[in-house]
């Protein structure tokens, strides 16, 4: 034997001995291959672990594994995206395991209007975000859950107040004066988008912890099924529901404790610098200075705490799945005295009868919100108030707070108000109750199981009550004759009713390898609201009391139908038509038709793609559709000639009597729907087994017959500006999204999502006569002087473009006060020299989120950026001038912002383009670290602890407090705090 | 499988579907819903209530005083502008007073300083507000005139006293329309023209020439002369023959400006009607402008305000607040605090020999800590302030509110008639004589001085004197611009006052500024309109 042969022999002997030894030590080797149950493909990198230990291995490139076990060992086989299997194995055996994929993304059901569709069959531009992908932290409103997550969708909060309103724009705004908000459908009930008095954001009704999915229908082919209200896109929110099967009872507790802190202040003069500046600029007014040293912004902002508790119970009782949830939150705002308390109760019952033929879905959500609104005037007031004056005057008058007084001892009516007094003396309270309920019955015909009837009945009721009270001794509302003060109350009641019925027929035609799905339906909705308010002073002086009561209502009736045709799972066609009638228009114009067609080509299923392994998903989509808009916010009868009575304080004296007057209102009898036509081309892609997947869309939207308030020719109507159909608007852009997993290992998974949107918005027509010299209609009122407008809607420009003078600078780059470029060349500076300069809407916006899962640790962050958005810094234009130091109309002294050192302006130059600043920004919305304790309490529960920072940081060049503003006008925005959140989640 | 199903079942299902569709179709009737707010009535049924006729008329008058259906602001008549600016009298004050030697304004509201500088343009928001306010009145009057024709009243079965009343109401609506058309002619010249024949809707009104508009106003006033109640015979606040005569007198007085024709004789004939109608001068000049100045024998037509029931941020609330600032104690004029805006120029101050107010009581200057010279037009203390209008009652007590004034605004009064008579006589109109003219002027001087120490002689009664006397008597009552134009002194370099043309001593301005431009917005909306000469 050769040396080599001897070595081999020894090796074999050793192995045999070893094996024998192993066998006698009751251990042995198990080998096998792990495959995908659907197609037999092997799965490299799948994990094989001995249950209850950390011992394990990973399959090799061929899907093979090998592991040592003792008798009766349970092995756990798992792979991302597949159902885990546990098998008891014996040593020295071969165990091949086939794993079934979890419901994949493609097979996932997404919600489209009036039904669901598999994602792979969808033809429109639809993005769904599920609860595990939501943003986290101190979330008070559902819209915050998806900020930055969806291409084409831009969500901006109104500021840093807890529960503040949010503006959502899908693919730019398609309207000028009609509503630009998308349609919200909550559990099948389309809700009115008009606000609720006493509640800043009507969506706050839904506790974010109860939301399962947030689906956005972006293009017309998806949204047109909602016809007349879908021009700005549709957002479908579904709440969590129990399912049959699974654990008997699941209990979940989720708690959040948050600490908010202000991040930035406007730079105003400190008391000593102020004293010096007054001595320099207004030496004769030095006697008006005080001795104190107050930084007013520090006095009105504070660190705030908040907490949120949520409990839900999900399960089945006697085969009836149910879910009950309760939530309570209490959040203070960083502006002193701001507070919001909210209680939500939600239930849903989803029994199934008659052998799955009859499905019943009953949802009820109740919410109660208690608000105390801090007076936001204090924000501007803190910038303007004299830093040398104390907070308390040392006197008992005016509540003890310092106030500017005239010689008579009465307050100076034109002076700035003590911001601390504003916050402490004003009680602005509201209490809102809201109930949204619906019952849905889905019946699959016994004699024809392909035919299904669905009836949905919904009811949305809200009642808001609020009071505003300011005592009579408050300086700013003081009245020598009647006492003064403010004593207001308001009540608002809203009732919306919904009745919807549709039939759905779906059949698989195997002979031609097709599936068809046909749906036809009817919907009736009634919106009613009533506002009632009494404004008065503390003494309820009759001449100071105004009572206003105005109930109003409107109806929507629709017929709709849709056809879905699927050929060989490769060629997909969707066609829909909706006919909507609205009581907003006269009988001749009531009905609008909204068709849509979309086709999609699932290229991945083509035979020639079978061998192309690079793509895991490839679908091309083309869509066209027309959607409508009829949401006229302030007036439900704009086409009807009618007379309105005057209030008691707008009467006229004839003889010895005061007469209530009757005024004929302006109207447009021919008012009709606004229509938006959308063209969309999209691509759904995925490659490397969906390791990278995402979408790419290009769209073009044109709105015709824009509902717009424009001046009508003088003499033709009973007022000067009428809501009428005149004007066209265009939005075009592109959306890109990608989700990828750069790292996928046994214990470590890293997922990154990124989306980017480009949108261009342009007004293409504004008035009936198409006159090219028509300058446009002014918009964007600013603070300073009265009635100044900084924006202008004109043909050929973006909505709300700024319309300003072009500033002239000196050799050192300082602006020269009052000197502007004479663009018209006529030797004078007049409005003819103004020009369109920049706009508030961003050109590009993108969102990025990252999620790293390492064993039981999870680290994630999510951020957003906007580019090309500009903001008019009204805080600088109003407060950055020396003239603010001494105001003779009081007289009183006021502070200036240090913006004044950059301009050296004496008088305000409100209309200069100097104040239009680039507000592009990147904001890190949340950073979170969490750890999950699995299987505690006898293996029955999972406990997750997390620490999150919201609004971690902002990178921007904008000089004001915050660059993120929807309308582009920074007039004392409520600053957004940085919030540190500690969260607990216990799941039984 | 389908074959197995009973015919019965099919019929049942079809019936159910049919039933459903029936219900659905009735639901579509919901789309024709009408307003449920009891403050809102459709036009079809509004006049079923007989009180409505007077209430709609009240709105026509109220259009001169308030800005909407809620006081002081809310539910506005016209939009696109801050509601305070859209008030009729306030806009008229801006156009007739800020543009002259009688007033300057120091605020930063947009282009407001352009009025005094005489540098305004066609996109000026205040000019636009005035224009639309005038047409608001005109169209509202047209609507009322349409709803009160004999045919309509017969159709509704209106008769008896109500019928008689409505006929007076209708004549008064025609007066108010003529008044606004006169303002339009005076401010803008050639404007779009609509009457009750033009229904509400989408169309492009024609632009009427100044001559045709003059004829129309004249014919309207002449034809309603018989239809109005006698002078001083109507309720306070409503128009009567006296108001119509006054408007005719104004029209004829300025006919040379409007149509280049001499109508001073016609002017004198109406001045005579007015002086014989029973009006008489108020004893105390200041009482004409106090909070309880209603029902005065000197006033021919007024715009009426009330601190509780007719609230606005315009009107006399505006005049009194805006004229108070600096050191002026607001309680001197019965308000809570001033807005620090309006003062006057030294050109006006110099028209008084004695500015103390001791001799000529019309000199209501406030000079403490106010400079005579205006170095900075934005500084309230530059330029003497004035305290003509006040919200105190004649007994010195406060009125019903400290923020919103009770003070009525005398649009037409007897003193003006006296001065018009005198001027028309000097301009060689027939039907009057120089002796009476001198008497009238001295009546005014005696009222102002309290005795005859201020009386003038026949030789002193010149056209120039009358212009200055109109300033001393009628300042801040919205006549100045019209008067200066009539004398050819409004634009151009013949008469300069501080900051005219945006220069410290005043400088010559272009004659195009004798008329205000048609607003850009209307030029854009109505292709039939041509801009006034020389405006871009």
């Amino acid at each position: 034997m050769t040396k080599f042969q001897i070595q081999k022999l020894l090796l074999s002997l050793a192995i045999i001995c070893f094996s024998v030894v192993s066998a006698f030590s009751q251990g042995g080797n198990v080998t096998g291959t792990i495959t995908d149950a659907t197609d037999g493909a092997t799965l490299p990198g799948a994990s094989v672990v001995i249950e209850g230990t950390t011992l394990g291995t990973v399959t090799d490139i061929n899907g093979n594994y090998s592991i040592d076990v003792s008798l009766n060992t349970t092995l756990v086989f798992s792979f991302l995206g597949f159902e885990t299997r546990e098998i008891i194995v014996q040593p020295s055996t071969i165990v091949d395991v086939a794993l079934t994929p979890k419901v994949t993304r493609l097979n996932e059901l997404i919600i489209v209007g009036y039904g669901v569709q598999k994602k792979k069959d969808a033809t429109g531009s639809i993005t769904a975000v599920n609860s595990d992908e939501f943003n986290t932290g101190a979330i008070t409103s559902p819209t915050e859950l998806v900020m930055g997550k969806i291409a084409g969708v831009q969500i901006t909060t109104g500021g840093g107040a807890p529960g503040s309103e949010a503006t959502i724009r899908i693919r730019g705004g398609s309207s000028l004066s009609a509503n630009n908000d998308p349609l919200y459908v909550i559990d099948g009930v389309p809700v009115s988008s008009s606000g609720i008095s006493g509640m800043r954001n009507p969506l706050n009704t839904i506790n974010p912890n109860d939301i399962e999915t947030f689906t956005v229908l972006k293009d017309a082919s998806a949204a047109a099924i909602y016809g007349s209200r879908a021009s700005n896109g549709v957002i479908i929110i579904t709440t969590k529901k129990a399912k049959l099967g699974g654990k008997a009872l699941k209990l979940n507790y989720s708690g959040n404790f948050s600490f908010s802190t202000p991040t930035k202040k406007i730079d105003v003069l400190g008391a000593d610098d102020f004293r010096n500046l007054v001595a320099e600029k207004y030496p004769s007014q030095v006697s008006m200075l005080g001795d104190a040293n107050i930084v007013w912004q520090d006095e009105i902002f504070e660190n705030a705490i908040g907490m949120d508790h949520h409990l839900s119970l999900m399960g089945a009782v006697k085969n009836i799945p149910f879910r009950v949830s309760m939530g309570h939150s209490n959040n203070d705002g960083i502006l002193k005295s701001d507070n919001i308390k909210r209680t939500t109760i939600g239930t849903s019952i989803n029994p199934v009868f008659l052998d799955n033929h009859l499905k019943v879905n009953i949802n009820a959500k109740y919410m109660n919100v208690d608000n105390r609104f801090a007076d936001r005037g204090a924000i501007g007031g803190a910038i303007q108030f004299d830093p040398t004056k104390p907070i308390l005057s040392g006197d008992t008058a005016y509540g003890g707070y310092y106030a500017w007084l005239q010689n008579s001892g009465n307050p100076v009516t034109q002076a700035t108000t003590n911001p601390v007094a504003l916050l402490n003396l004003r009680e602005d309270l509201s209490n809102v109750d809201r109930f949204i309920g619906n019952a849905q019955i889905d019946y699959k015909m016994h004699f024809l199981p392909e035919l299904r009837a669905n009836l949905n009945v919904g009811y949305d009721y809200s009642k808001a009550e609020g009071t505003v009270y300011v005592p009579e001794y408050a300086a700013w509302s003081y009245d020598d004759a009647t006492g003064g003060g403010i004593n207001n109350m308001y009540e608002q009641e809203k009732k919306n009713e919904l009745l919807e019925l549709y039939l759905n027929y779906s059949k698989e035609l195997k002979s031609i390898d097709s599936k068809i799905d046909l749906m036809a339906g009817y919907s009736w909705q009634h919106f009613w609201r009533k506002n009632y308010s009494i404004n008065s002073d503390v003494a309820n002086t009759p001449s100071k009391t105004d009572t206003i009561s105005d109930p109003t209502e409107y109806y929507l009736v629709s017929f709709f139908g849709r056809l879905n045709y699927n050929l060989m799972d490769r060629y997909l066609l969707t066609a829909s038509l909706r006919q909507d009638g609205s009581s907003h228009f006269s009988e001749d114009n009531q009905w609008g038709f909204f068709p849509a067609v979309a086709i999609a080509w699932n290229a991945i299923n083509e035979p020639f793609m079978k061998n192309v392994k690079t793509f895991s998903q490839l679908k091309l989509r083309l869509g066209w559709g027309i959607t409508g808009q009829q949401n006229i916010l302030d007036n439900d009868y704009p086409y009807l000639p009618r007379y309105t009575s005057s209030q008691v304080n707008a009467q006229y004296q004839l003889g010895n009597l005061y007469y209530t007057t009757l005024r004929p209102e302006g109207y447009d009898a021919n008012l009709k729907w606004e229509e938006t036509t959308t063209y969309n081309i999209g691509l759904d892609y995925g490659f490397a087994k969906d390791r990278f997947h995402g979408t790419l869309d290009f769209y073009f939207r044109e709105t015709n017959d824009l509902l717009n308030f424009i001046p009508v020719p003088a003499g033709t109507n009973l007022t000067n500006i009428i809501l009428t159909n005149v004007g066209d608007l265009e939005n075009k852009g592109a959306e890109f999204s990608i989700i990828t997993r750069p790292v996928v290992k046994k214990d470590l998974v890293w997922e990154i999502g990124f989306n980017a949107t480009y949108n261009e918005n342009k007004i293409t027509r504004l008035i009936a006569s198409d006159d090219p010299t028509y300058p446009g209609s002014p918009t964007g009122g600013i603070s300073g002087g009265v009635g100044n407008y900084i924006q202008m809607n004109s043909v050929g420009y973006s909505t709300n473009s700024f319309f300003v003078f072009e500033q002239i600078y000196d050799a050192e780059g300082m602006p020269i006060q009052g000197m502007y470029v004479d663009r018209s060349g006529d030797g004078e500076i007049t409005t003819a020299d103004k020009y369109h300069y920049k706009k508030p809407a961003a050109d590009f916006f993108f969102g990025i989120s990252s999620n790293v899962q390492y064993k039981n640790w999870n680290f994630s962050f999510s951020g957003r950026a906007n580019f090309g958005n500009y903001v008019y810094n009204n805080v600088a234009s109003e407060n950055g001038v020396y003239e603010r130091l001494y105001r003779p109309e009081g007289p009183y002294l006021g502070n200036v912002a240090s913006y004044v050192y950059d301009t050296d302006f004496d008088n305000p130059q409100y209309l200069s383009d100097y104040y239009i600043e680039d507000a592009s920004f990147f904001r890190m919305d949340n950073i979170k670290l969490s750890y999950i304790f699995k299987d505690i309490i006898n293996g029955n529960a999972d406990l997750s602890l997390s620490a999150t920072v919201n609004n971690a940081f902002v990178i921007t060049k904008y000089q004001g407090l915050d660059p993120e503003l929807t309308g582009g006008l920074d007039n004392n925005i409520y600053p957004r705090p940085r919030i540190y959140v500690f969260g607990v989640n216990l799941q039984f | 499988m389908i074959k197995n199903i009973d015919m019965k079942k099919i019929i049942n299902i079809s019936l159910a579907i049919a039933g459903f569709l029936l219900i659905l179709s009735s639901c579509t009737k919901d789309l024709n819903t009408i307003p449920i707010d009891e403050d809102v009535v459709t036009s079809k049924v509004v006049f079923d209530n007989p009180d409505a006729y007077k209430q709609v008329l009240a709105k026509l008058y109220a259009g001169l005083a308030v800005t909407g259906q809620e006081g002081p602001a809310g539910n506005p008549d016209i939009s696109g502008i801050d509601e305070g600016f859209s008030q009729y009298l306030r806009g008229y004050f801006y156009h007739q007073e800020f543009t002259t030697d009688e007033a300057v304004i120091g605020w930063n509201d947009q282009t407001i300083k352009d009025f005094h500088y005489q540098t305004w343009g066609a996109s000026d928001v205040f000019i636009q507000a005035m224009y639309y306010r005038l047409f608001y009145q005109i169209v509202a009057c047209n609507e009322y005139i349409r709803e009160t024709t004999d045919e309509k009243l017969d159709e509704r079965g209106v008769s008896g006293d109500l019928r008689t009343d409505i006929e007076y109401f209708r004549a008064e609506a025609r007066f108010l329309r003529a008044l606004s058309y006169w303002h339009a002619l005076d401010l803008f010249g050639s404007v779009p023209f609509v009457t009750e024949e033009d229904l509400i809707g989408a169309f492009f009104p024609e632009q009427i020439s100044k001559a045709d508009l003059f004829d129309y106003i004249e014919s309207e006033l002449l034809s309603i002369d018989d239809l109005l109640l006698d002078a001083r015979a109507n309720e306070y606040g409503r128009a009567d023959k006296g108001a119509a005569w006054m408007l005719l007198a104004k029209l004829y007085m300025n006919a040379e400006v409007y149509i280049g024709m001499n109508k001073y004789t016609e002017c004198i004939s109406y001045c005579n009607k007015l002086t014989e109608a029973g009006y008489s001068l108020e004893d105390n000049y200041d009482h004409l402008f106090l909070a309880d100045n209603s029902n005065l024998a000197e006033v021919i037509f007024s715009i009426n305000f009330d601190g509780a029931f007719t609230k606005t941020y315009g009107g006399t609330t505006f005049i009194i607040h805006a004229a108070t600032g600096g050191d002026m104690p607001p309680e001197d004029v019965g308000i809570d605090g001033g807005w620090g805006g309006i003062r006057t120029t030294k050109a006006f101050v110099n028209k008084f020999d004695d500015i103390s107010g001791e001799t000529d009581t019309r000199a209501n200057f406030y000079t403490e800590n106010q400079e005579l010279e205006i170095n900075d037009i934005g500084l309230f203390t530059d330029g003497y302030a004035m305290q003509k209008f006040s919200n105190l009652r004649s007994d010195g007590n406060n009125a019903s509110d400290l923020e919103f004034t009770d003070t009525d605004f005398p649009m037409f009064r007897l003193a003006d008639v006296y001065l018009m008579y005198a001027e028309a006589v000097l301009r060689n109109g027939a039907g009057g004589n120089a002796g009476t003219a001198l008497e009238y002027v001295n009546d005014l001087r005696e009222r102002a001085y309290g005795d005859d120490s201020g009386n003038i002689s026949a030789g002193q009664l010149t056209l120039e004197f009358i212009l200055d006397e109109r300033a001393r008597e009628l300042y801040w009552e919205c006549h100045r611009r019209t008067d200066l134009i009539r004398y050819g002194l409004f634009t151009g370099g013949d008469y300069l006052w501080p900051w005219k043309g945006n220069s410290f001593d005043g400088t010559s301005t272009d004659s195009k500024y004798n008329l205000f431009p048609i607003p850009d917005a209307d030029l854009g909306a109505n292709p039939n309109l041509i801009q006034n000469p020389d405006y871009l």
Side-chain angles (χ1 to χ4, degrees), chain A residues 501 522 524 543-544 550 590 643-645 647 649 651 655 658-660 663 714 719-720 769 786-788 831, chain B residues 20 24 30 32 37 39 41 54-55 69 71 75 77 79 109-110 123 236 304 306 309-311 401 522 524:
Chain A
L501 170 70
Y522 165 81
W524 174 92
S543 67
K544 300 250 180 200
D550 48 3
Q590 259 164 11
Y643 283 72
T644 311
S645 301
Q647 297 296 321
N649 48 25
Q651 296 181 322
Y658 286 91
Y659 288 83
T660 301
R663 175 182 74 188
T719 182
N720 63 325
S769 70
V786 183
N788 274 321
T831 46
Chain B
F20 229 164
L24 302 190
D30 285 335
N32 296 327
D37 185 346
D39 287 337
V41 185
K54 195 161 187 187
Q55 286 183 286
Q69 292 300 78
N75 204 347
D77 298 329
S79 7
D109 305 345
Q110 306 205 74
S123 53
Y236 182 60
N304 305 327
D306 185 272
F309 301 114
T310 311
K311 292 193 196 188
D401 192 89
D522 212 30

Side-chain angles (χ1 to χ4, degrees), chain B residues 191-495:
Chain B
V191 291
F193 181 67
V194 287
T195 65
E196 67 272 22
E197 310 286 315
D198 300 296
L199 302 175
I200 304 291
F203 64 97
F204 300 123
E206 297 292 332
Q207 190 170 21
I208 192 173
S209 68
K210 293 200 296 188
D212 287 341
L213 186 55
F214 182 96
D215 287 342
Y216 175 79
I217 299 171
E218 185 188 15
S219 71
E220 274 291 291
L221 291 168
L222 292 174
S223 106
I224 62 175
D225 197 11
D226 288 332
L227 304 173
L228 287 166
L229 282 160
D230 286 339
R232 311 194 68 229
N234 203 343
E235 292 187 295
Y236 182 60
R238 286 173 56 187
D240 52 21
K241 286 191 166 78
W245 293 338
M246 185 73 176
L247 191 51
L248 276 164
K250 287 277 176 193
L251 197 64
Y252 290 134
M253 187 80 221
N254 295 292
E256 274 198 316
V257 175
Y258 304 142
I259 55 175
M261 287 172 60
N262 174 326
K263 296 260 178 188
Y264 300 111
T265 308
E266 290 87 336
C267 178
I268 291 176
S269 91
Y270 282 97
C271 288
N272 284 334
K273 284 195 175 170
L274 284 162
T275 53
E276 286 149 23
Y279 298 101
S280 59
L281 289 182
E282 185 64 24
D283 288 334
N284 184 324
Y285 178 80
D286 288 338
H287 283 186
L288 287 162
F289 312 105
L290 294 177
D292 52 354
N293 62 350
S294 28
N295 284 304
L296 296 179
E298 183 176 339
V299 178
I300 299 169
F301 183 68
S302 61
I303 305 177
N304 305 327
F305 301 95
D306 185 272
F309 301 114
T310 311
K311 292 193 196 188
T312 174
Y313 285 116
T316 51
T317 299
F318 154 74
I319 299 176
I320 296 172
H321 279 272
T324 306
D327 277 353
M328 298 165 75
E331 49 271 21
D332 279 1
V333 285
I335 57 176
D336 53 0
W339 300 349
I342 314 177
R343 302 91 68 203
T344 187
T345 69
K346 73 177 180 203
F348 174 72
V349 177
N350 292 340
K351 303 219 183 297
F352 289 89
D353 296 324
D354 172 11
I355 66 169
S356 70
E358 304 291 318
T359 48
D360 188 339
T361 59
R362 301 172 299 186
N364 286 315
F365 295 101
Y366 186 91
T367 57
E368 207 174 305
N369 292 328
Q370 303 283 122
E371 297 291 325
L372 176 64
E373 296 287 347
I374 303 175
N375 286 305
D376 179 358
I377 214 171
L379 198 58
F380 184 81
T381 45
D382 275 2
Y384 284 167
M386 308 216 62
Q387 288 173 315
K388 172 162 173 162
F389 289 87
S390 165
N391 195 31
L392 287 176
R393 298 214 169 98
S394 43
D395 58 7
N397 287 325
N398 281 336
S400 61
D401 192 89
L402 290 179
E403 193 182 354
F404 300 102
T405 57
D406 282 353
T407 317
D408 297 344
F409 181 84
M411 182 182 276
F412 297 144
R413 61 187 174 97
L414 188 63
D416 194 354
V417 180
Y418 285 177
L419 289 165
M420 278 201 286
Y421 180 96
E423 188 181 331
V425 164
L426 285 179
R427 290 185 189 274
N428 301 318
N433 70 72
T436 321
L438 183 62
E439 235 179 78
Y440 284 156
V441 173
N442 279 330
D443 279 345
L444 295 180
R445 307 270 306 173
E446 273 161 32
R447 190 257 299 269
Y449 281 77
D451 52 33
D452 57 11
S453 57
N455 286 16
I456 56 162
S457 66
Q460 288 170 297
L461 187 63
T462 62
L463 277 174
E464 203 190 304
F465 179 87
I466 291 181
L467 182 63
D468 287 346
E469 190 66 14
R470 285 185 72 81
R472 287 185 285 264
E473 176 71 32
L474 301 169
Y475 66 95
W476 286 18
E477 292 174 53
C478 299
H479 301 291
R480 191 59 174 167
R481 171 185 159 274
T482 308
D483 292 342
L484 286 175
I485 290 178
R486 190 169 62 249
Y487 278 75
L489 298 175
F490 182 67
T491 57
D494 288 340
Y495 177 35

